[in-house]
């Protein structure tokens, strides 16, 4: 009887604490991510996400600054360094300025969608066990010796699904839908030299927090008033 009492007493202490911790973690996650994961619940995903984070089937599009200057990034290498941490390296390009960067991506939590869709005409029904997403924080540092360099920090949301072989893979199930996007990065860039901070966001198919830059309904389309910011002649590559 005393063991049962002790167990119940422990639950009364642990459960509110766990709930509090979850709410605290959620409070730090940006609203744009929370709005995209509202139909999901916490889940476990003991897997290496390197292949998803380095996937190049869809090129990244992005911007930097409040004037939506075109920003390009090539994530060349991703390697898992810990259970929830990944080492990342690659190249960024703004106008004619190229910088090499290295940094980390840290998984904050994994989530499973409670009412997943199954693609066009439900073509993927029965083809996977679950669809989910992961929320992460990133810190990418450009080389200090290079011109116009700085550091990128922010949050990342990427999507995956677990197939019937229990492999977690890049989620492109809804790639033909208007709202499809993946690997969404949103945060800031801070100059080493001036400490000036600029918004900087990028993603696949769509860009998070892109304001009136994207005026497309079926696909990403650049607002004509920003074309002079590096978007001249921009054509979708997918």
């Amino acid at each position: 009887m005393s063991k049962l009492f002790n167990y119940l007493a422990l639950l009364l202490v642990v459960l509110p604490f766990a709930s509090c911790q979850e709410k605290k973690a959620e409070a730090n996650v940006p609203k744009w991510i929370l709005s995209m994961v509202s139909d999901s619940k916490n889940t476990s995903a003991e897997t290496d996400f390197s292949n998803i984070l380095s996937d190049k089937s869809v090129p990244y599009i992005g911007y930097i600054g409040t004037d939506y200057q075109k920003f390009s990034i090539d994530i060349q290498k991703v390697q898992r360094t810990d259970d929830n941490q990944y080492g990342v390296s690659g190249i960024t390009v703004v106008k004619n300025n190229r910088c090499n960067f290295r940094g980390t991506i840290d998984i904050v939590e994994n989530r499973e969608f409670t009412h997943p869709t199954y693609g066009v005409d439900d073509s993927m029904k029965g083809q996977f066990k679950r669809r989910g997403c992961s929320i992460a924080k990133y810190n990418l540092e450009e080389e200090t010796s290079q011109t116009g360099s700085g550091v990128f920090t922010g949050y990342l949301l990427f999507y995956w699904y677990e197939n019937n072989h229990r492999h977690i893979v890049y989620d492109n199930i809804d790639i033909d839908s208007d709202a499809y996007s993946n690997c969404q990065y949103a945060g800031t860039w801070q100059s080493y030299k001036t400490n000036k901070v600029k918004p900087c966001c990028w993603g696949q198919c769509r860009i998070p927090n892109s304001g009136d830059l994207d005026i497309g309904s079926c696909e990403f389309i650049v607002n004509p008033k920003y074309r002079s910011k590096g978007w001249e002649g921009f054509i979708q590559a997918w």
Side-chain angles (χ1 to χ4, degrees), residues 146-161:
Q146 294 179 320
T147 303
S149 58
V151 58
F152 302 88
T153 56
Y155 276 85
L156 154 68
L157 176 68
F158 63 90
Y159 300 96
W160 46 264
Y161 70 88

Side-chain angles (χ1 to χ4, degrees), residues 51-83:
N51 288 339
I52 296 174
L53 293 169
S54 60
D55 189 277
K56 295 187 179 183
S57 58
V58 178
Y60 282 109
I61 48 176
Y63 75 85
I64 186 168
T66 54
D67 59 351
Y68 298 113
Q69 175 67 46
K70 188 174 184 293
F71 167 82
S72 299
I73 186 168
D74 181 12
I75 297 176
Q76 298 179 326
K77 184 177 181 181
V78 181
Q79 185 173 3
R80 192 182 192 184
T81 56
D82 203 346
D83 287 349

Side-chain angles (χ1 to χ4, degrees), residues 11-23:
L11 284 179
L12 290 173
V13 173
V14 172
L15 289 179
F17 176 77
S19 177
C20 181
Q21 289 294 95
E22 185 174 340
K23 288 181 179 178

Side-chain angles (χ1 to χ4, degrees), residues 206-231:
R206 297 282 181 166
I207 308 174
N209 294 346
S210 56
D212 66 343
L213 169 64
D214 182 2
I215 58 173
S217 56
C218 297
E219 61 180 3
F220 177 84
I221 296 178
V222 178
N223 190 324
K225 70 179 181 179
Y226 298 115
R227 287 224 174 255
S228 63
K229 299 301 179 180
W231 298 98

Side-chain angles (χ1 to χ4, degrees), residues 3-210:
K3 287 185 178 180
L4 178 60
F5 177 80
N6 290 337
Y7 176 72
L8 292 174
L10 180 62
L11 284 179
L12 290 173
V13 173
V14 172
L15 289 179
F17 176 77
S19 177
C20 181
Q21 289 294 95
E22 185 174 340
K23 288 181 179 178
K24 184 178 180 181
E26 192 173 271
N28 294 325
V29 175
K31 290 182 179 179
W32 71 269
I33 289 182
L34 293 177
S35 67
M36 298 175 79
V37 301
S38 58
D39 183 33
S40 66
K41 60 183 180 181
N42 283 320
T43 190
S44 61
E46 301 299 324
T47 190
D48 185 345
F49 289 116
S50 297
N51 288 339
I52 296 174
L53 293 169
S54 60
D55 189 277
K56 295 187 179 183
S57 58
V58 178
Y60 282 109
I61 48 176
Y63 75 85
I64 186 168
T66 54
D67 59 351
Y68 298 113
Q69 175 67 46
K70 188 174 184 293
F71 167 82
S72 299
I73 186 168
D74 181 12
I75 297 176
Q76 298 179 326
K77 184 177 181 181
V78 181
Q79 185 173 3
R80 192 182 192 184
T81 56
D82 203 346
D83 287 349
N84 294 307
Q85 188 174 82
Y86 297 80
V88 188
S89 61
I91 296 172
T92 61
V93 181
V94 179
K95 297 181 181 178
N96 294 319
N97 193 66
R98 294 168 62 90
C99 288
N100 299 92
F101 72 84
R102 292 183 180 277
T104 56
I105 292 175
D106 293 277
I107 306 296
V108 175
E109 66 175 302
N110 301 302
R111 304 190 67 86
E112 177 183 348
F113 290 105
T114 51
H115 300 94
T117 55
Y118 299 94
V120 177
D121 299 325
D122 287 342
S123 59
M124 287 292 289
K125 199 159 191 177
Q127 302 301 307
F128 61 84
K129 293 185 175 296
R130 57 175 175 159
R131 290 183 75 177
C133 63
S134 296
I135 301 168
K137 296 177 71 174
Y138 62 88
N139 183 282
L140 310 177
E141 300 178 357
E142 293 174 320
E143 290 188 10
T144 56
S145 61
Q146 294 179 320
T147 303
S149 58
V151 58
F152 302 88
T153 56
Y155 276 85
L156 154 68
L157 176 68
F158 63 90
Y159 300 96
W160 46 264
Y161 70 88
E162 182 181 358
N163 62 29
N164 289 333
H165 301 292
R166 297 195 176 280
H167 295 145
I168 290 181
V169 298
Y170 180 93
D171 189 344
N172 61 358
I173 291 174
D174 291 317
I175 196 166
D176 293 322
S177 71
D178 297 346
Y180 177 79
S181 66
N182 207 338
C183 296
Q184 301 285 286
Y185 293 75
T188 60
W189 172 85
Q190 183 171 18
S191 167
Y192 292 134
K193 185 176 181 180
T194 67
N195 287 325
K196 186 174 182 179
V197 177
K198 295 182 179 182
C200 185
C201 306
W202 65 92
Q204 294 173 322
C205 290
R206 297 282 181 166
I207 308 174
N209 294 346
S210 56

